[in-house]
Amino acid sequence: MHHETVEITGHLIDSGVLSLVIDDIREYEGDWVIDRFDVGHEAADLSHATITVSTEEEESLQRLLMRLQTRGVNQVDPGEASVLEVEQDGVFPDGFYSSTNLVTRVRINGRWLVVDNPEMDCGLVVDESGPAPRVFTIPMADVKAGMQAVCGAAGIKVEAPIAKDAGATFGFMESEVSSEKPQAVLVRQVAEGMREAKAAGKKVLWVGGPGVVHTGASPAMVELVKAGYVDVLFAGNALATHDIESALYGTSLGVDLALGRGVEHGHEHHIRALNTIRKCGSIKAAVDQGVLTGGVMHAMVTGEKTFVLVGSVRDDGPLPDVYTDVIEGQRAMRAELTDVGFCLMVATMLHSVATGNILPASIPLVCVDINPATVTKLADRGSSQARGIVTDVGLFIEQLTGELVPSYRRH
Amino acid sequence: MHHETVEITGHLIDSGVLSLVIDDIREYEGDWVIDRFDVGHEAADLSHATITVSTEEEESLQRLLMRLQTRGVNQVDPGEASVLEVEQDGVFPDGFYSSTNLVTRVRINGRWLVVDNPEMDCGLVVDESGPAPRVFTIPMADVKAGMQAVCGAAGIKVEAPIAKDAGATFGFMESEVSSEKPQAVLVRQVAEGMREAKAAGKKVLWVGGPGVVHTGASPAMVELVKAGYVDVLFAGNALATHDIESALYGTSLGVDLALGRGVEHGHEHHIRALNTIRKCGSIKAAVDQGVLTGGVMHAMVTGEKTFVLVGSVRDDGPLPDVYTDVIEGQRAMRAELTDVGFCLMVATMLHSVATGNILPASIPLVCVDINPATVTKLADRGSSQARGIVTDVGLFIEQLTGELVPSYRRH
Amino acid sequence: MHHETVEITGHLIDSGVLSLVIDDIREYEGDWVIDRFDVGHEAADLSHATITVSTEEEESLQRLLMRLQTRGVNQVDPGEASVLEVEQDGVFPDGFYSSTNLVTRVRINGRWLVVDNPEMDCGLVVDESGPAPRVFTIPMADVKAGMQAVCGAAGIKVEAPIAKDAGATFGFMESEVSSEKPQAVLVRQVAEGMREAKAAGKKVLWVGGPGVVHTGASPAMVELVKAGYVDVLFAGNALATHDIESALYGTSLGVDLALGRGVEHGHEHHIRALNTIRKCGSIKAAVDQGVLTGGVMHAMVTGEKTFVLVGSVRDDGPLPDVYTDVIEGQRAMRAELTDVGFCLMVATMLHSVATGNILPASIPLVCVDINPATVTKLADRGSSQARGIVTDVGLFIEQLTGELVPSYRRH
Amino acid sequence: MHHETVEITGHLIDSGVLSLVIDDIREYEGDWVIDRFDVGHEAADLSHATITVSTEEEESLQRLLMRLQTRGVNQVDPGEASVLEVEQDGVFPDGFYSSTNLVTRVRINGRWLVVDNPEMDCGLVVDESGPAPRVFTIPMADVKAGMQAVCGAAGIKVEAPIAKDAGATFGFMESEVSSEKPQAVLVRQVAEGMREAKAAGKKVLWVGGPGVVHTGASPAMVELVKAGYVDVLFAGNALATHDIESALYGTSLGVDLALGRGVEHGHEHHIRALNTIRKCGSIKAAVDQGVLTGGVMHAMVTGEKTFVLVGSVRDDGPLPDVYTDVIEGQRAMRAELTDVGFCLMVATMLHSVATGNILPASIPLVCVDINPATVTKLADRGSSQARGIVTDVGLFIEQLTGELVPSYRRH
């Protein structure tokens, strides 16, 4: 048997994290002995545990140790990081360290270096070419031959996820997604989170799907863009096209927004809106030429806000601004994460999961959808900091705007 | 082959009703010949069709004719109604006429009598004991030996469902249920429907589930009760108990409403709230004794509004006001339908279906639920006048109150 | 501050139970000190914790102690049970003990008595009139003036829920409901659970909704009845009526089962089937008279199996066998729980929750539904022993029959 | 007012198509007069209608005429097609004809040419450079300056959608999606559709999501690949990666398939499986090198079947075979549609919509998902030939394999 001693400090009992650690050990067919467990006697005290884990194979021990780090469990004696040279573009060495989205430190030559941009499911690359050595995450598609990749779990420490604190702003819905919650309170908490981020000089990132337009929330969202609560928007071809279609023709995939009457199909408007913007050359060009005069995308352009549109295989057109290569699209999204202090995801499974994949765990994240599966999927993929609100997107944005822009009235 | 000639007048082409009629004939393994079809030439003109339908058995012909009446298709020569004496309490004669919820006329002794209280899936009983003969619907459980029940489809005419009119207040969502609709517009349309009913001296009927309390909508609903927009409430033990639990303990099945934090279970509060009201003797007694001082049920009692609570097999307690016999509960609900001019169903499958079963087709009906299946189920059961809105119940009632009670502010 | 010292033994760390205990204490605004925590060193060892909890009010301390008992947490020094006389029919004394569905012991006159029939949300009544004193649960509606009810949490011990054991038959899906599971394996596990129950001389209880008929599973379920895997059936008016309608007319709410073609409505068949059975007097009478010759209910009658049908407010008819009083229905269901060793709930929210309410925690329980909300709702109501399978009911019963009745072939 | 006379032939009354035509006219704010309506007198007779439609603007008349063509409504006197030269790559002329996925004819120089590859939401390009002129659809992204694009609705005829025939193989579920259907019958009908396609020398196209692997259906699907019922597979990075992960490590996103026990996360296996295949160079290379020895993708490679994997913005890795540019991916999918005679979509919204967008209406198409929204979305996007089955994907494929591969047994 191969074994290693690990430790964890925190509110171990009320956070339930030890239960997850035991599940991990079982999944990797390992065994464990609790060497020491100092329980905090009173509610506010921290607990500390030391556990020796063991597996039959050295390789599965290393992989189990990497997994445990996603819980904030580190080796008592991590030693030095092991580094191997990448031999092939786009391929990590076997046994490479698969990263978490937590704050991470790597020990190189006796010094602990903080990893630059925590992102899950990446590799860690050590760069000693500059005056000071540094370590950063790199996605598999971007790794190049000759880079130095960290392998195994040695020499690495992560910071435990933020302790569960029932009084915190985003302490709602710790454990589950539900539609049976007092929604008005949730709206206020999201508004408060956005105000805090702005007050701290941080950006607010929105990730949106076409439901924003279909539910009639565009006018409210335009107010939020104008008021400065939408610094960056990640979306696909659909949100932008339906928004533009609505601005050009007053419809969105067949919904007559003014009267609230549903109409079955509206492809023809849709495809013509795409052709019109392609003719202009870009969304900004369409605004500059006076072709596009309203809607969310118009507000983003005139407010000089940033948007990243990434395509998908079901797209018509697409709009000229859309990244048709999804890996390039991911790179463009990563480039806009700097200084993001709050993230709101509304009405999109695809782009919410994509953003959850690249977001550091430290950024507060709220996901709003009428479909509980979207939020559940996010949590299943490891974005444990996600808080979900199952509600109607149109009414939610309407109410959020009422909170943040007091002058806004629906009529 | 047995055959009969039937006719229908209306906007036959754009309503799609003929397609449904053909489906019906096929289902009963019948055949048809279109004898005459006068199409309205212009958009506003009515069309008229005469069709001869035939089946192999006389019994299935009679049953097909009853079915066709639910579409507004009547016999060209209906003749006299056939009446048989009921032989056994709670059992109709074989071949009894199964009623629709449309306006219905029955020819007795050469005179056309209007059926008193249209309700689907009942029998029609003729009462000639009074000064003037009358015909009324009676549910199977209530029919008594010696009553005179109409059998077969002869001597009966129904009025076609209200023609599809795209401009009408409730013309939204004619054909389907959807969450991707501009909800703010829908809220305004429901508010308008309630105002119209009140202006016409009619009552507004609410059918509600416990989600009204769980989503934090109680304070808004209390305002609507006070403002006179909730004349009658149909609900189960759950809505009333959770509302009362919330008023007594500030919780509702484990949701801390003030902070928006979820708590797993709250049975103990729940069962104690039930015991407290049972001790008082009734909800009204609890209000009178100063035990119950807030919430929706308190507002209903102090505003002298009517409520009918009917139990179900999953109930704890139940509250002393709850009908534990469901057939008695149905009778109590029926007794409150007089003068209802608008019906809103929120967050309950069970009581919405129950109310849809007994409601005449002429009453505008809107069903609001976060679950599309609830509305679909209503429509599947024949309440074709139902209009569905898939949205968050909490935010919906919040917005509806904002529309109807201008002084209402959330804070 | 009022305080009490409690203790718990078990796989405390990997079961996560301590985290739930802390949540409970917080919900009741209490505080705690961990006096002692002996952690099992190796995976198989039990842990033991002693905790002193405190609250400001004596009443909330008592209520917190009752809550903690649902986790298997007992007072170190429970003392004697406190008993008060019931003063009013159907009303417990204030501060009555609200029961769990776990194995429970009560200390009366220095002796520990085992509670006869554990059921959640009931009271405990002490009966010293016989030769030996006994304690049993009684629902609120059934308690009578003069009975002796246990009050407060003193003198009571419950047995902790069965420890989490990853290798056990029903260890699948410990923590969540999901549709993304290898269903064929789950089918085999349910079959195994039923075989074990039968081998132990226990009964298999089915709780079913009309979806059993709509999805075409009736022929397969008839095989299971014949093979002895359906000893007791709890259902509503709908399952039985649709089954009988299908047997009489070959349809079920408008679904032509042989061809798989959907038909919109089928009320007329439905209401006529009800009238036919009412005329016979009961389902058994309809079988005896040769009127009903096939389907699930026919198989139950000819196999002399037990069924309890309880009505709801949405019922048509209902069938003569249906309990229209829901409290009487609950009593009839309780009376059939003796010797049940396995419970399968399929395609019904209402009757599944109702059965979950009265079932002891010790009976294995599997809930199958295409709608994840049904299972989630069960768990939210406290039936923590429920295991959920989100799948198609028709295919599930088909496969289950293939497992249990090897001679069964679909064609 | 601008007006045009159009005509339609078919089972107009029972198909309900005229109702849709009137809805279209209203949506474009047009008016209509029914000039002539010859109704088929008996059930089998065709009806024929001639309608004059009018709008205020010529442009909206042209757009309305294009819309009506999607219903099979053609101009009585279509005249010659109007053709304009494309001026800009990727941009159609204003007023370009937006295509349907129905069989389409275009009149050029007095001759009716059949459009090569019907696809919705494309343009029509006339190519007179060869010996015989031809017309084909081209997506917006692929149109080049200098091409000749058809504009307006003149000179175009489409063939009406296949008439509704209640007895046809895929006549089930004409009007709605439902989970309450006899699933065993549906399985047989899908099997029959696949056999018919193969017997006619056509290919069977599968479009699949990762749910195929998660639900444990891989072994059954491997049998279907071997038996020749999977000629082409369209999927994303997820299905292939989870299948390969399952083959390499026996897990799929944390589901232990052999025991049916759920495990929370499995990222680490996932990311390592991707790295392994990237190191090999391609899925085929991994098979050739003996690295990949089982699963669906292995069966596709060894059986020399075709697969097209198209990426999305949420992808990890991705696999080297994945098209990262979605427009190139669409082109690759289009290239494999030749000779497809049956299409089955399972457990994927994204790729099902993408395939529905490019598929001719004449190919039978069945969509299987546990989520009703997926099928509804398909229908909303215009793939009206889609038939939906709401069921468990794992059990469905299991049963389908039992039908098609008699030797297959689950154990």
Side-chain angles (χ1 to χ4, degrees), chain B residues 73-366:
Chain B
V73 176
N74 292 296
Q75 295 180 47
V76 169
D77 182 10
E80 279 281 313
S82 161
V83 174
L84 284 180
E85 184 164 314
V86 173
E87 296 184 357
Q88 197 179 343
D89 280 3
V91 179
F92 288 115
D94 291 339
F96 71 102
Y97 179 83
S98 174
S99 62
T100 74
N101 57 5
L102 304 169
V103 174
T104 304
R105 285 177 174 74
V106 180
R107 188 149 75 173
I108 302 290
N109 301 328
R111 287 179 51 196
W112 284 103
L113 306 177
V114 178
V115 172
D116 276 2
N117 45 350
E119 179 179 331
M120 66 171 72
D121 294 334
C122 287
L124 294 183
V125 166
V126 181
D127 177 7
E128 298 186 277
S129 65
R134 70 186 194 98
V135 186
F136 53 93
T137 55
I138 197 160
M140 194 178 283
D142 290 352
V143 72
K144 300 288 174 205
M147 285 182 171
Q148 303 294 320
V150 177
C151 291
I156 300 176
K157 287 208 175 198
V158 301
E159 273 184 30
I162 304 104
K164 184 178 171 180
D165 175 358
T169 304
F170 289 97
F172 58 83
M173 305 190 62
E174 281 297 336
S175 52
E176 57 183 315
V177 173
S178 170
S179 64
E180 295 199 338
K181 299 283 167 174
Q183 305 287 5
V185 176
L186 299 183
V187 170
R188 275 199 287 279
Q189 292 180 336
V190 172
E192 190 51 36
M194 287 191 171
R195 276 196 214 98
E196 284 173 12
K198 297 300 295 185
K202 297 285 187 175
K203 291 180 184 171
V204 174
L205 167 65
W206 285 58
V207 185
V212 170
V213 181
H214 298 168
T215 57
S218 297
M221 187 163 168
V222 166
E223 290 302 309
L224 291 172
V225 174
K226 287 183 185 168
Y229 288 104
V230 186
D231 295 296
V232 185
L233 172 65
F234 290 173
N237 190 52
L239 180 144
T241 308
H242 296 171
D243 171 65
I244 289 168
E245 178 191 340
S246 177
L248 296 181
Y249 302 106
T251 61
S252 167
L253 262 189
V255 175
D256 183 336
L257 293 174
L259 286 183
R261 276 187 276 125
V263 167
E264 220 180 282
H265 298 298
H267 283 118
E268 188 259 349
H269 295 305
H270 187 67
I271 207 78
R272 232 162 272 283
L274 285 162
N275 201 58
T276 300
I277 304 301
R278 287 174 72 96
K279 194 172 171 185
C280 294
S282 72
I283 298 173
K284 183 171 185 316
V287 173
D288 292 346
Q289 295 166 27
V291 170
L292 181 64
T293 59
V296 172
M297 297 313 295
H298 173 265
M300 293 296 289
V301 167
T302 54
E304 301 189 345
K305 306 299 181 188
T306 304
F307 54 88
V308 180
L309 307 179
V310 185
S312 85
V313 66
R314 94 195 132 206
D315 288 348
D316 292 312
L319 288 169
D321 307 71
V322 166
Y323 287 88
T324 60
D325 187 291
V326 293
I327 300 300
E328 281 178 29
Q330 288 179 354
R331 284 184 200 119
M333 288 164 68
R334 270 189 202 98
E336 300 301 337
L337 291 184
T338 318
D339 286 333
V340 166
F342 190 92
C343 177
L344 180 70
M345 298 169 165
V346 274
T348 166
M349 169 88 88
L350 181 60
H351 289 85
S352 293
V353 170
T355 305
N357 285 350
I358 63 172
L359 214 58
S362 53
I363 298 177
L365 186 165
V366 174

Side-chain angles (χ1 to χ4, degrees), chain A residues 150-206:
Chain A
V150 176
C151 291
I156 300 176
K157 288 208 175 197
V158 301
E159 273 183 30
I162 304 105
K164 185 178 170 180
D165 175 358
T169 305
F170 289 96
F172 57 85
M173 307 189 62
E174 281 298 335
S175 53
E176 57 182 316
V177 173
S178 171
S179 64
E180 296 198 339
K181 298 283 167 173
Q183 305 288 3
V185 176
L186 299 183
V187 170
R188 275 201 285 280
Q189 293 180 334
V190 172
E192 191 50 36
M194 286 192 173
R195 276 197 214 98
E196 283 172 12
K198 298 300 294 185
K202 296 284 188 177
K203 291 180 183 171
V204 174
L205 167 65
W206 285 59

Side-chain angles (χ1 to χ4, degrees), chain D residues 263-333:
Chain D
V263 167
E264 219 179 285
H265 299 295
H267 283 119
E268 189 258 350
H269 294 305
H270 187 65
I271 206 79
R272 233 164 271 285
L274 284 163
N275 201 57
T276 299
I277 304 301
R278 287 174 72 97
K279 195 172 170 186
C280 295
S282 72
I283 298 173
K284 183 172 187 314
V287 172
D288 292 346
Q289 295 166 26
V291 170
L292 181 64
T293 59
V296 173
M297 297 313 297
H298 173 266
M300 293 295 288
V301 167
T302 55
E304 300 190 345
K305 306 300 182 188
T306 303
F307 54 87
V308 180
L309 307 178
V310 185
S312 84
V313 65
R314 94 196 131 206
D315 288 349
D316 291 313
L319 289 168
D321 306 71
V322 166
Y323 287 89
T324 60
D325 188 291
V326 294
I327 300 300
E328 279 178 30
Q330 288 179 354
R331 284 184 199 118
M333 288 163 67

Side-chain angles (χ1 to χ4, degrees), chain B residues 40-56:
Chain B
H41 275 238
E42 301 191 37
D45 296 351
L46 293 180
S47 299
H48 177 264
T50 310
I51 307 172
T52 298
V53 296
S54 52
T55 64
E56 285 196 21

Side-chain angles (χ1 to χ4, degrees), chain C residues 253-272:
Chain C
L253 261 188
V255 176
D256 184 335
L257 293 173
L259 285 183
R261 275 188 276 126
V263 167
E264 221 179 282
H265 299 297
H267 284 118
E268 188 259 350
H269 294 305
H270 187 66
I271 207 79
R272 231 163 273 284

Side-chain angles (χ1 to χ4, degrees), chain D residues 19-94:
Chain D
S19 171
L20 298 175
V21 166
I22 302 302
D23 282 348
D24 288 339
I25 297 173
R26 282 193 174 129
E27 188 193 341
Y28 282 80
E29 296 176 1
D31 208 344
W32 73 96
V33 173
I34 295 181
D35 301 314
R36 192 175 168 158
F37 193 176
D38 297 323
V39 177
H41 274 238
E42 300 191 36
D45 296 350
L46 292 181
S47 300
H48 177 264
T50 310
I51 306 171
T52 297
V53 296
S54 53
T55 64
E56 285 196 22
E57 307 286 340
E58 172 62 21
E59 189 198 333
S60 57
L61 179 62
Q62 288 303 315
R63 288 166 60 185
L64 171 56
L65 292 173
M66 290 185 220
R67 165 67 69 90
L68 292 180
Q69 288 201 322
T70 67
R71 312 294 186 194
V73 176
N74 292 297
Q75 294 178 48
V76 170
D77 182 11
E80 279 281 311
S82 161
V83 173
L84 283 180
E85 184 165 314
V86 174
E87 294 184 356
Q88 200 178 340
D89 280 5
V91 181
F92 288 115
D94 292 340

